[in-house]
Amino acid sequence: MRTDRQWMNVRLRDGYLTYEFEAGIEEFVDFAQRHPELMGGTKIRCPCNDRKCQNRSFQELDTVRFHLAKNGFVKDYYVWYKHGETVVQQTSNQNVQRNVESDVGIEYAQPNNACQAMLMDAIGPSFNPNVIEDISNPTVQELYEMLKASKQEVWPCNPYGHSKLSAVARLLNLKAKHHFSERCFDDICQFLSEVLPENNVMTDSFYSIKKLMQGLGLPVENIHCCINGCMIYWGEDNELISCKFCNHPRYKRHHGSNRQKKKNVPHKKMYYFPLTPRLQRLYASKATTNDMRWHKEHNTEEGVMRHCLESPAWKHFDQIHPSFVAKSRNVRLGLCIDGFQPFDQTGQQYSSWPVIVTPYNLPTWMCMKDEYMFLFIIVPGPRNPKEKLDVFLQPLIAKLKHLWEVGVQTYDVSNKQKLPDVSSTYVDYK
């Protein structure tokens, strides 16, 4: 138990809430707000001892304060790891907790801030920060640049201990939250670099921040399509230069001189975000790995349906696929497709169709949140694909079939081991 948090055991004195406990609640709320990457929008996980909470549900800040005052903290939650605390100061007869990756022979101290934890989650267990690898590899070079930025203070002895990486991550979070334009973002970065002390290392543009953070990003593929939606140039058809159904050319015609030097531009293309690395990231992060087993460990209530696992379709699937059900870490997915007009204000008729996948392993208060609804395909417009929609789903369906038949080896950070082939299936289609 942390000696500086003994106040968590003394909530009431003579029937009244103690001053130390009230101050501790505010300390906890302030700490949780400093880690927006673990929040659900403006909400945080409620660590009160009520059976409906216990770090499983996200609540507004005032609700969390009330719950903690009424119910106290969940038992033995002296290290706020669900809210971003990674360095554990233990009792005098114990050493500082270390993260031992025994399966790959790596031992290193846990990161001293949430950004380092995020970075190590993204890199995976096979990366040893103490061993210098071949930095001529661009991917490896990006990882070392981010690792360096996570340890480099924005300026020496800044009061909040922000590193270069944590500062730019916070700025990107604000950009997404408040919809800054790139020009506005550049102006903010330039202004910050001017007002900070001269020895600051703050980046001064959106481009430089993207370049620094791209090692954390998940891959995206551009796949060329037939302008009429007959086919996509993917797999065995990747080398074709015209549609095998309507014979429409794949690329736009070049005009003017120097045609040989111009790059081929497709008439139409779609964006595909590979499924596997996004599912693996759920097990690589301490913020979600335990929740990915919720569907198996959750106690259902007879006659009440709060989650898909309590539906007849889910139970029927369990009966006919017992080997899949036996592994609690196998992933169940929901597939949702809908169209919208992104340019409705201009009067131009343009319909775009996003394909969204949701992991139903997660509890009810997580699986329907924006951050866990993964965009995997953007079907381009301008027309409604209608009956040709399945053409654009080919990469996703092929990956789902591969995961179902073969699976993929995945690292689970909760028990520090590589899982045997984790499989996936989708159980819902809307």
Side-chain angles (χ1 to χ4, degrees):
M1 185 185 74
R2 289 186 56 148
T3 55
D4 57 336
R5 291 192 182 146
Q6 293 180 356
W7 56 265
M8 296 173 66
N9 294 327
V10 187
R11 183 170 63 92
L12 300 176
R13 184 177 293 120
D14 298 329
Y16 295 95
L17 204 64
T18 65
Y19 171 78
E20 293 81 4
F21 197 87
E22 287 184 10
I25 290 176
E26 293 303 319
E27 176 190 352
F28 165 76
V29 172
D30 291 342
F31 179 88
Q33 287 182 284
R34 293 200 297 270
H35 298 82
E37 68 278 4
L38 297 179
M39 295 174 62
T42 60
K43 300 179 180 180
I44 63 174
R45 289 179 184 269
C46 180
C48 82
N49 203 32
D50 187 271
R51 64 182 183 88
K52 294 182 180 179
C53 296
Q54 297 183 351
N55 280 324
R56 291 194 292 264
S57 65
F58 286 82
Q59 304 287 349
E60 297 291 348
L61 300 180
D62 288 340
T63 303
V64 172
R65 291 186 178 98
F66 174 77
H67 282 194
L68 291 175
K70 179 181 178 182
N71 306 311
F73 283 80
V74 66
K75 185 179 179 181
D76 297 331
Y77 190 54
Y78 301 113
V79 179
W80 300 333
Y81 62 93
K82 287 282 189 179
H83 299 83
E85 188 171 27
T86 54
V87 174
V88 184
Q89 182 67 42
Q90 301 189 354
T91 54
S92 59
N93 62 344
Q94 293 176 319
N95 294 325
V96 175
Q97 179 179 341
R98 300 185 68 84
N99 183 10
V100 181
E101 304 292 345
S102 57
D103 56 331
V104 292
I106 300 172
E107 178 176 345
Y108 49 88
Q110 286 212 14
N112 59 9
N113 57 53
C115 277
Q116 286 190 30
M118 173 184 66
L119 179 59
M120 298 311 299
D121 284 347
I123 294 175
S126 61
F127 179 78
N128 186 350
N130 300 318
V131 177
I132 304 299
E133 299 182 17
D134 180 17
I135 61 173
S136 61
N137 184 327
T139 303
V140 175
Q141 187 175 8
E142 290 171 2
L143 296 179
Y144 278 106
E145 287 293 331
M146 286 192 296
L147 192 62
K148 177 182 176 182
S150 70
K151 299 176 180 179
Q152 186 177 19
E153 290 187 318
V154 179
W155 76 90
C157 302
N158 69 86
Y160 291 99
H162 274 297
S163 66
K164 181 180 179 181
L165 185 66
S166 68
V168 299
R170 183 68 179 274
L171 281 173
L172 288 176
N173 176 265
L174 292 174
K175 182 183 187 302
K177 184 177 180 180
H178 299 290
H179 309 288
F180 298 160
S181 67
E182 289 192 20
R183 181 174 294 181
C184 173
F185 194 86
D186 286 343
D187 290 342
I188 292 173
C189 292
Q190 185 64 40
F191 177 70
L192 287 175
S193 63
E194 292 174 1
V195 299
L196 292 178
E198 292 184 0
N199 54 351
N200 77 85
V201 293
M202 188 65 194
T203 53
D204 59 357
S205 69
F206 183 57
Y207 172 78
S208 58
I209 289 179
K210 285 199 303 182
K211 190 174 181 181
L212 174 65
M213 300 291 287
Q214 63 185 358
L216 281 179
L218 294 166
V220 58
E221 299 177 13
N222 293 329
I223 302 176
H224 298 173
C225 317
C226 172
I227 194 172
N228 298 315
C230 305
M231 62 169 288
I232 60 174
Y233 299 94
W234 174 80
E236 297 179 353
D237 300 327
N238 187 42
E239 301 299 327
L240 298 180
I241 59 173
S242 62
C243 177
K244 60 184 180 182
F245 298 102
C246 68
N247 207 35
H248 193 282
R250 176 176 179 174
Y251 300 107
K252 295 179 180 180
R253 181 181 299 178
H254 294 304
H255 299 283
S257 58
N258 298 325
R259 295 183 181 181
Q260 299 296 330
K261 297 182 179 180
K262 291 185 177 181
K263 184 179 180 180
N264 289 326
V265 178
H267 281 281
K268 193 175 185 178
K269 63 181 179 180
M270 60 173 276
Y271 293 93
Y272 170 61
F273 305 86
L275 175 64
T276 302
R278 285 162 174 79
L279 297 181
Q280 289 177 315
R281 190 65 64 87
L282 292 173
Y283 285 108
S285 173
K286 294 178 181 178
T288 53
T289 180
N290 291 326
D291 292 316
M292 287 296 289
R293 300 192 303 272
W294 179 89
H295 71 291
K296 188 72 172 180
E297 300 169 355
H298 170 66
N299 295 324
T300 60
E301 185 177 345
E302 189 66 29
V304 177
M305 181 175 172
R306 299 188 181 93
H307 191 274
C308 300
L309 66 90
E310 294 156 340
S311 66
W314 188 296
K315 295 175 182 177
H316 176 69
F317 180 88
D318 289 352
Q319 293 174 358
I320 61 177
H321 297 289
S323 60
F324 181 89
V325 178
K327 299 178 181 179
S328 63
R329 292 177 177 85
N330 283 343
V331 184
R332 314 215 188 187
L333 303 172
L335 185 65
C336 178
I337 305 173
D338 199 2
F340 72 102
Q341 292 192 25
F343 309 119
D344 56 345
Q345 294 182 351
T346 65
Q348 180 181 2
Q349 294 297 318
Y350 189 101
S351 177
S352 182
W353 289 70
V355 179
I356 297 172
V357 173
T358 301
Y360 282 152
N361 292 42
L362 297 172
T364 51
W365 53 86
M366 293 179 65
C367 65
M368 289 294 109
K369 287 189 174 291
D370 292 347
E371 54 265 37
Y372 300 112
M373 300 179 72
F374 300 140
L375 177 66
F376 282 102
I377 293 175
I378 300 179
V379 179
R383 294 186 295 272
N384 187 334
K386 295 182 179 179
E387 69 277 359
K388 296 180 180 179
L389 186 61
D390 60 322
V391 171
F392 301 96
L393 296 179
Q394 291 180 74
L396 180 59
I397 299 302
K399 178 52 67 176
L400 287 171
K401 290 174 66 176
H402 174 79
L403 290 174
W404 173 255
E405 296 169 358
V406 181
V408 62
Q409 192 177 63
T410 301
Y411 177 75
D412 187 348
V413 71
S414 65
N415 54 14
K416 308 292 190 303
Q417 67 179 12
K418 291 183 179 179
L419 303 175
D421 296 337
V422 171
S423 300
S424 159
T425 185
Y426 64 96
V427 297
D428 190 21
Y429 181 89
K430 296 179 180 179

